Amino acid sequence: MTDTIGTLPDPPMIAVKNRLEAKPIIRILDRQSRDVVGWLYEWNTGEFVPMWKQGRREDVVFE
């Protein structure tokens, strides 16, 4: 009699996208002065991430 070792099939590969490239899609402006304070970027993963010029602002508009 011989022993056999049962193995499970490999788990399915899940496609995980890494952030590789992004493009600015909208300017972020200070609501009062209308100065550009950042840009909203869209990554190749579909994520939207703000990039601020000098720190996060609260009172902004997207244009």
Side-chain angles (χ1 to χ4, degrees):
M1 179 172 180
T2 61
D3 293 329
T4 59
I5 298 172
T7 59
L8 297 173
D10 291 335
M13 295 300 291
I14 299 172
V16 176
K17 286 186 176 180
N18 292 323
R19 285 184 184 172
L20 299 175
E21 57 185 56
K23 59 183 175 186
I25 57 169
I26 295 176
R27 296 181 306 157
I28 305 174
L29 308 177
D30 179 84
R31 185 179 304 275
Q32 299 299 319
S33 68
R34 292 297 209 223
D35 290 336
V36 175
V37 294
W39 299 268
L40 186 64
Y41 276 77
E42 181 178 9
W43 285 88
N44 63 299
T45 60
E47 293 175 272
F48 296 93
V49 179
M51 183 176 118
W52 302 99
K53 286 175 70 174
Q54 295 180 336
R56 182 179 174 87
R57 300 283 189 96
E58 295 297 323
D59 193 20
V60 298
V61 293
F62 295 84
E63 218 174 64

